[in-house]
Amino acid sequence: MNQPATKVLVIGYVWPEPRSSAAGGHMMQILETFLTQGWDITFSSPATIGEHKADLPALGITECAIELNNSSFDDFIRELAPDIVLFDRFMMEEQFGWRVEKHCPAALRVLETSDLQSLRDARQQRLKDDLKAQPGNDDFSALFAPGLEDEFQRMADTVLAKREIAAIYRCDISLMISDVEIRLLTEHFKVPAALLHWCPLMLEPPTEAFAPFDERAHFLSIGNFRHAPNWDAVLWMKNSVWPLIRQQLPGAQLHIYGAYTPPKATALHNAAQGFHVMNWAEDALQVMTAARICLAPLRFGAGIKGKLADAMLCGTPNITTPVGAEAMSDEQPWPGAIAHSATALADAAVSLYQDRERWTQAQEHGRQLLARRYDQNIHGPALVECLEQCRNDLAAHRRNNFTGGMLRHHAHKSTQYMSQWIEAKNRNL
């Protein structure tokens, strides 16, 4: 007799847009991994539908819009009775976790962290402090220098870190895209390693020949403009990095692509300076393949960078910072260059742009890196094995996570009372 298909409910922070953000791409990789197992997937979200949403029904995934603070979700999840509930970002666990606990306590609770938002926020604040103290600073070596203990000290007293790590404890497994963030959580926040699973981007390593040096031209930068690290990188390029590149390469052109381009971004467009704000790319890999260099001068952020993985998939060497390269590589050569200042970034970009031999070598380093760290044939099965093993031993797993059970009990009770109060108040309006 055939076993019924495993039922998975995903509660999305947004509807996935794989061509707009790395987070959307990673979510689609997770969903596709589940589909290969024959699992029955329902994707729900309280968010409005974006213009670049993936066609989930075409893949056989059921869609369902849900609302915050609405008891209709109780009937929905009770009827669905999922075996696995995947929360997309910790805010969804905060909003819906207590309802899952109430109606489906035996469901495996999985958190897709995407990246540690409390880490990203702490780094953004450090950048603000640095710019305030040194308004004309060009060299950010000190900004990139702090180790994990320093990151912990900056994060530990923040409300955001307490909320995010509490959600990690309340879940059975949290998917971590960055092994550096796993070290931060286990070594400094003392989160049990059994609650975390390394799940980086899951990609099919390229096997065909890349477009060569002579068939490429110009610089490219890409990223969702709604993502604060991307917007900061655009401003740094406009004000500091790109003028230095143009001094050495007067005819150089930079094409900047990003979803949801705001007026403040289009206002930066200046063809005379070779600074082109191009809006959204219909095919990000196509424009990446046409470029000779990918620029990613990120001064803060967390997780790993989808734009740099895309660059490697297309054989496009990149110029980035330590934050951009964090958790992307091992001890092997980087497929491009990593620099700490606007001057060093510009010099590295110009040098690599003109040096065919170094450029071709960097291209090959990217291919090797993809095969070592991001092979979907390795990480997909590892993810399924992790979830199945946890489901099969869920009682013991939860018993060993007493702190998580305690947090679920208290947080969900208080959230339940608050939600009931809000619903009662809305009925009386």
Side-chain angles (χ1 to χ4, degrees):
M1 184 174 178
N2 292 332
Q3 290 284 343
T6 297
K7 288 193 287 186
V8 180
L9 170 63
V10 181
I11 303 177
Y13 178 63
V14 294
W15 296 94
E17 296 188 7
R19 294 184 295 172
S20 297
S21 70
H26 194 235
M27 175 55 71
M28 292 305 299
Q29 292 160 14
I30 293 171
L31 295 177
E32 288 161 5
T33 297
F34 294 168
L35 287 172
T36 62
Q37 302 300 306
W39 292 357
D40 183 1
I41 305 172
T42 298
F43 195 102
S44 63
S45 178
T48 56
I49 293 178
E51 53 190 283
H52 308 305
K53 183 184 84 65
D55 188 354
L56 299 181
L59 299 174
I61 297 173
T62 302
E63 294 182 347
C64 184
I66 55 178
E67 296 181 7
L68 300 173
N69 298 316
N70 192 318
S71 59
S72 63
F73 182 83
D74 296 358
D75 296 331
F76 162 68
I77 193 171
R78 199 163 41 227
E79 182 178 346
L80 183 64
D83 302 297
I84 299 173
V85 176
L86 174 65
F87 301 101
D88 175 27
R89 263 65 73 88
F90 77 91
M91 298 84 76
M92 293 298 96
E93 190 280 334
E94 287 182 327
Q95 291 289 338
F96 295 97
W98 72 270
R99 295 185 187 273
V100 172
E101 178 77 2
K102 178 180 178 181
H103 300 291
C104 300
L108 183 71
R109 302 161 61 96
V110 183
L111 177 61
E112 158 62 343
T113 60
S114 184
D115 61 18
L116 277 181
Q117 295 184 48
S118 51
L119 174 60
R120 186 204 317 156
D121 184 75
R123 287 174 168 171
Q124 183 176 14
Q125 187 57 53
R126 182 188 290 118
L127 173 62
K128 290 178 179 178
D129 295 343
D130 188 271
L131 293 176
K132 185 176 180 180
Q134 305 179 73
N137 186 32
D138 170 41
D139 189 341
F140 291 92
S141 298
L143 181 76
F144 301 130
L148 294 183
E149 172 61 26
D150 295 315
E151 302 286 19
F152 167 73
Q153 293 295 335
R154 180 171 282 266
M155 294 167 62
D157 293 332
T158 67
V159 172
L160 190 59
K162 292 170 182 175
R163 289 173 56 199
E164 189 166 28
I165 294 171
I168 288 173
Y169 269 104
R170 289 194 296 264
C171 289
D172 299 307
I173 292 290
S174 289
L175 307 184
M176 307 298 302
I177 204 167
S178 163
D179 50 2
V180 171
E181 292 177 4
I182 290 178
R183 286 175 47 214
L184 174 63
L185 290 175
T186 56
E187 296 176 11
H188 299 279
F189 285 95
K190 307 304 180 185
V191 174
L195 301 183
L196 309 175
H197 175 74
W198 183 45
C199 184
L201 296 175
M202 296 179 279
L203 306 170
E204 184 176 353
T207 55
E208 298 181 0
F210 293 129
F213 181 87
D214 290 333
E215 294 181 11
R216 301 183 181 235
H218 309 315
F219 295 85
L220 172 142
S221 184
I222 194 165
N224 191 324
F225 285 107
R226 290 178 175 175
H227 191 52
N230 291 338
W231 174 239
D232 176 74
V234 170
L235 292 177
W236 197 27
M237 283 189 289
K238 174 69 173 180
N239 297 324
S240 301
V241 180
W242 186 244
L244 295 172
I245 292 175
R246 286 277 288 192
Q247 285 177 13
Q248 300 179 66
L249 296 175
Q253 306 293 311
L254 171 61
H255 298 145
I256 299 175
Y257 294 88
Y260 302 105
T261 311
K264 65 182 181 180
T266 55
L268 299 179
H269 179 85
N270 190 320
Q273 297 173 354
F275 197 90
H276 305 272
V277 179
M278 309 293 289
N279 207 331
W280 185 66
E282 183 71 30
D283 187 335
L285 297 184
Q286 183 180 51
V287 297
M288 184 70 80
T289 297
R292 187 175 292 178
I293 299 288
C294 171
L295 292 179
L298 297 157
R299 292 191 289 189
F300 70 96
I304 60 178
K305 312 305 177 290
K307 60 176 69 63
L308 298 184
D310 284 348
M312 295 178 219
L313 285 171
C314 298
T316 306
N318 71 79
I319 307 296
T320 190
T321 64
V323 165
E326 181 180 85
M328 290 288 294
S329 181
D330 39 32
E331 299 302 318
Q332 302 303 311
W334 181 252
I338 302 168
H340 298 73
S341 68
T343 300
L345 286 163
D347 289 347
V350 170
S351 175
L352 194 57
Y353 191 87
Q354 297 177 308
D355 190 329
R356 182 200 312 267
E357 184 176 346
R358 279 188 56 221
W359 185 94
T360 303
Q361 188 178 55
Q363 188 180 68
E364 186 57 31
H365 289 157
R367 186 194 296 275
Q368 295 168 3
L369 179 54
L370 287 173
R372 285 196 310 270
R373 285 181 70 85
Y374 303 108
D375 190 338
Q376 64 183 9
N377 297 314
I378 295 174
H379 295 294
L383 171 60
V384 172
E385 181 182 1
C386 171
L387 299 185
E388 292 285 24
Q389 183 176 347
C390 193
R391 283 186 65 202
N392 292 336
D393 199 19
L394 189 56
H397 183 82
R398 288 183 173 174
R399 193 177 305 119
N400 291 331
N401 179 24
F402 177 82
T403 300
M406 178 177 62
L407 288 171
R408 274 203 309 276
H409 172 79
H410 289 288
H412 295 162
K413 281 295 183 183
S414 61
T415 306
Q416 179 182 7
Y417 298 148
M418 178 60 70
S419 180
Q420 290 170 345
W421 179 83
I422 292 172
E423 289 178 17
K425 182 178 179 181
N426 289 340
R427 285 196 299 268
N428 294 329
L429 289 178

